[in-house]
Amino acid sequence: GHERISQSILGLSAGTRHRSRLDGSVFVCPRRSNCRSRWLAILKSGATYVPLDLSDPPLRRAEMIRVSGTTTVIGQRLQREAVANVPVQLLDIEAALGFAGEAAPAAAPALQADAIACTVIISGSDDASRQVGITHRNLTNLIFSVAKRPGVDDRDVVVAASPITMGRASLEIFLPLLTGARLVIAQDKELASGRALLQLLQRSGATLMYGASHTWSALLEAQWIGYPALKMLCSATDLSPRLIER
């Protein structure tokens, strides 16, 4: 679980004697269902997480690691090739879980509100990669603002449908964990078509989902007629007048 992974990160930090070497951790997430524990572990250890998607081209992954100043990648032994040509250390999850079970618990650091919780890499108008830091304060304010309006509590079902490399993914993961709502993580096969995603919404009884414009368009193309219980979140920049009308 996230406790063991967090202990391994803390142990690695203590072993290096240089806290800053873990200020830019990255986690590799081949399966979306694995994301929660690694996110929680990195945050609890005081490091910053930078989500890395194995489906990205090798040059894109290397650029994300370089721009973010990452020093540690959290993954599995089989994922070593994904960062083979990048100067980072790999914290193997399987080995870490075994180590954490034997080692004495390390004290987690006191987290500062203005410390960076997440770094998202974006491309500017000139195609150059830039990093955007999301602080613990930013993330907390966003989560509890959405919990207040449109409102989320323990009766809700939140479907996480965003790529893990998007900043909104952190909202989708932590919003239900902090409000008591049920979290349903959409898998790749359920995001492959509007019909598959529609079936997931119906099957799970979803009451909130954050989707890009193409997500809502795909649902409409699948003959989705909507239902009042679903709270629909979307970035304003993604919405076209035609999509709003539909």
Side-chain angles (χ1 to χ4, degrees), residues 1-13:
H2 77 273
E3 290 284 353
R4 288 189 172 186
I5 300 172
S6 178
Q7 285 296 313
S8 295
I9 298 175
L10 290 169
L12 181 58
S13 175

Side-chain angles (χ1 to χ4, degrees), residues 138-153:
N138 296 151
L139 184 55
T140 301
N141 286 344
L142 175 60
I143 289 170
F144 285 102
S145 293
V146 175
K148 183 175 181 180
R149 184 177 181 184
V152 178
D153 58 29

Side-chain angles (χ1 to χ4, degrees), residues 72-90:
T72 305
V73 171
I74 300 177
Q76 292 169 310
R77 194 174 298 112
L78 295 177
Q79 296 160 358
R80 189 177 298 276
E81 292 183 2
V83 292
N85 299 317
V86 186
V88 293
Q89 55 185 337
L90 177 67

Side-chain angles (χ1 to χ4, degrees), residues 65 129 183 221:
I65 291 174
S129 296
L183 171 63
E221 294 299 325

Side-chain angles (χ1 to χ4, degrees), residues 55 59 168 184 186 191 195 198 231:
S55 65
L59 289 178
R168 62 177 178 262
V184 176
L191 298 173
R195 183 172 298 278
L198 175 57
K231 303 159 192 173

Side-chain angles (χ1 to χ4, degrees), residues 12-225:
L12 181 58
S13 175
T16 62
R17 298 184 182 180
H18 293 286
R19 180 91 207 153
S20 60
R21 291 190 63 187
L22 283 176
D23 284 346
S25 292
V26 165
F27 78 92
V28 177
C29 196
R31 294 187 298 274
R32 293 166 56 83
S33 58
N34 286 347
C35 297
R36 301 187 305 276
S37 60
R38 301 184 191 186
W39 244 323
L40 289 168
I42 293 171
L43 289 179
K44 185 171 182 178
S45 72
T48 299
Y49 70 79
V50 185
L52 185 67
D53 193 337
L54 288 181
S55 65
D56 285 338
L59 289 178
R60 169 63 175 168
R61 294 197 299 262
E63 177 70 1
M64 290 180 66
I65 291 174
R66 182 191 66 78
V67 171
S68 63
T70 293
T71 59
T72 305
V73 171
I74 300 177
Q76 292 169 310
R77 194 174 298 112
L78 295 177
Q79 296 160 358
R80 189 177 298 276
E81 292 183 2
V83 292
N85 299 317
V86 186
V88 293
Q89 55 185 337
L90 177 67
L91 176 59
D92 187 278
I93 290 295
E94 296 168 357
L97 291 175
F99 169 78
E102 300 173 2
L111 299 179
Q112 301 299 316
D114 292 324
I116 302 298
C118 173
T119 296
V120 179
I121 309 300
I122 62 173
S123 297
S125 56
D126 57 357
D127 290 331
S129 296
R130 296 180 173 84
Q131 60 174 322
V132 176
I134 301 173
T135 67
H136 287 272
R137 188 194 306 276
N138 296 151
L139 184 55
T140 301
N141 286 344
L142 175 60
I143 289 170
F144 285 102
S145 293
V146 175
K148 183 175 181 180
R149 184 177 181 184
V152 178
D153 58 29
D154 57 5
R155 296 167 294 181
D156 282 289
V157 178
V158 178
V159 171
S162 299
I164 62 167
T165 51
M166 301 295 291
R168 62 177 178 262
S170 55
L171 169 66
E172 294 176 327
I173 296 296
F174 291 116
L175 175 63
L177 294 183
L178 292 174
T179 58
R182 182 160 68 94
L183 171 63
V184 176
I185 300 180
Q187 301 303 303
D188 291 339
K189 63 180 181 180
E190 294 162 334
L191 298 173
S193 70
R195 183 172 298 278
L197 181 57
L198 175 57
Q199 291 174 347
L200 173 64
L201 294 180
Q202 294 171 335
R203 187 169 64 250
S204 64
T207 60
L208 184 142
M209 187 176 79
Y210 195 139
S213 58
H214 64 81
T215 305
W216 300 116
S217 296
L219 285 169
L220 290 170
E221 294 299 325
Q223 307 303 313
W224 178 57
I225 59 174

